[in-house]
Amino acid sequence: MRVRELVVLGTASQVPTRTRNHNGYFLAWDGEGILFDPGEGTQRQMAHAGVAASDVTRICITHFHGDHCLGLPGVIQRLSLDRAPQPVPVHFPFEGLQYFERLRHASSFYDAVDLRPDPLTDDHAGIKADKVQLEARRLDHGIPTYGYRLVEPDGRRMLPDRLREHGIAGPAVGTLQRTGRLERDGAVVTLEEVSEPRPGQRFAFVMDTRLCAAVHELADGVDLLVIESTYLDAERDLAEAHGHLTAGQAAAVAAERGVRTLVLTHFSQRYDNPDAFRREAEARFDGEVVVAEDLTRVRVPARRP
């Protein structure tokens, strides 16, 4: 069964609290398991959430501030300890290569994982992946930072009634899907006659940044947007000064870009009432709002009809 689900491992910004671990987000997407921004304590949070190291097939780091990367050494060493069966690409800003190398070799361990570093250099970077299109956009923070966007290619939904009308069943359905046409009783049946367009699903991950064009590009039309909301609107000037977003700004982007489910996270330790983030977001966005807590699980919404 295909599973498309976000597992939130941590939701704090800069400083972990008694109830919020440093950042960490695991996206299960069919056969992919993408770990985003493993902050300190991520390995233990994975254990609490039931996410095995062997589930991680790819790692994406937005930038090299500690709350987004200090858990990387433990995750890498655990991948080696558990003999991860597949190569694990790691995407990160090229300017942070020295930090990646230090974290990669932070302590002595038996290095058995096939880790494949992929430093990002372009403002709009395409990332090679087997079944999905993975993209990165450069954001506006104090140090080089990227956001990520996953796009499933559009496909077609087979229509059982139309298939029955043409007497197509079993292996013939797969043949028609692969070739686009099938000969039946001297007549040609095309894929378009027995199917309808099925838009691909989309996911975006936006961490530390001010508002910029890339935030809008990443969020455009996604089914699930995970986005930082470090501050509330009352501290908008502080957010701007430190290269962050408010809950109101994040929600406005979601509304303008047709997002379906909005996941707010990366909260400043100055706030102890998550309801304030929900109220601020719901005032600007009428879709589903999730104010993330550690170990929250969020399913990718069902496909658009």
Side-chain angles (χ1 to χ4, degrees):
M1 182 178 67
R2 292 187 171 187
V3 176
R4 296 182 177 181
E5 182 181 54
L6 174 75
V7 182
V8 179
L9 303 171
T11 55
S13 71
Q14 192 174 39
V15 177
T17 71
R18 292 182 180 182
T19 58
R20 295 188 182 277
N21 199 73
H22 263 172
N23 288 283
Y25 310 85
F26 178 80
L27 178 68
W29 189 284
D30 301 346
E32 283 266 18
I34 307 176
L35 179 63
F36 293 92
D37 280 8
E40 185 179 352
T42 291
Q43 185 182 178
R44 189 165 185 269
Q45 293 294 94
M46 288 170 62
H48 281 304
V51 177
S54 58
D55 294 332
V56 177
T57 63
R58 188 180 302 272
I59 299 172
C60 295
I61 298 171
T62 59
H63 65 296
F64 284 97
H65 280 150
D67 53 326
H68 297 261
C69 67
L70 286 178
L72 187 60
V75 171
I76 291 172
Q77 293 183 27
R78 183 61 179 272
L79 288 167
S80 281
L81 181 65
D82 290 357
R83 301 295 193 273
Q86 69 280 324
V88 180
V90 185
H91 313 290
F92 55 87
F94 172 80
E95 295 88 343
L97 181 59
Q98 62 176 326
Y99 300 117
F100 172 78
E101 292 295 339
R102 292 172 187 169
L103 293 166
R104 173 81 171 86
H105 302 288
S107 67
S108 176
F109 71 105
Y110 180 70
D111 191 352
V113 63
D114 183 5
L115 211 64
R116 300 188 178 181
D118 178 30
L120 304 173
T121 58
D122 298 328
D123 286 352
H124 294 180
I127 296 171
K128 184 177 180 181
D130 291 336
K131 297 180 180 180
V132 296
Q133 180 181 345
L134 191 59
E135 307 164 353
R137 297 285 188 274
R138 190 179 287 268
L139 296 169
D140 181 11
H141 193 44
I143 63 174
T145 302
Y146 282 88
Y148 294 92
R149 175 180 168 92
L150 183 152
V151 178
E152 178 188 33
D154 292 340
R156 299 196 69 84
R157 182 183 293 109
M158 305 305 289
L159 301 174
D161 291 346
R162 300 273 183 86
L163 290 170
R164 282 194 295 270
E165 287 176 14
H166 292 278
I168 301 173
V173 177
T175 301
L176 179 58
Q177 289 176 312
R178 289 191 302 274
T179 64
R181 52 188 284 124
L182 191 69
E183 187 170 340
R184 304 290 292 181
D185 301 324
V188 174
V189 180
T190 65
L191 181 61
E192 288 75 14
E193 292 178 83
V194 295
S195 66
E196 63 184 8
R198 185 203 67 188
Q201 292 188 301
R202 302 175 183 184
F203 167 88
F205 185 80
V206 178
M207 282 294 119
D208 300 21
T209 185
R210 300 174 182 87
L211 280 179
C212 61
V215 173
H216 290 267
E217 292 169 5
L218 290 162
D220 189 39
V222 301
D223 297 278
L224 184 62
L225 171 63
V226 180
I227 187 167
E228 70 123 312
S229 57
T230 309
Y231 297 97
L232 295 171
D233 273 346
E235 286 79 37
R236 183 175 292 195
D237 289 347
L238 196 59
E240 176 70 21
H242 292 284
H244 287 293
L245 298 174
T246 69
Q249 289 173 323
V253 169
E256 292 169 14
R257 292 297 170 171
V259 170
R260 299 177 66 198
T261 297
L262 171 66
V263 179
L264 302 177
T265 187
H266 194 271
F267 306 111
S268 169
Q269 68 271 20
R270 69 177 53 217
Y271 304 108
D272 57 9
N273 181 11
D275 290 340
F277 289 87
R278 180 180 301 280
R279 288 194 298 270
E280 191 161 287
E282 289 181 343
R284 300 193 180 189
F285 175 65
D286 59 6
E288 181 182 4
V289 176
V290 177
V291 179
E293 301 284 348
D294 288 17
L295 307 183
T296 297
R297 305 179 86 96
V298 185
R299 284 292 183 103
V300 177
R303 293 185 186 279
R304 299 176 191 267

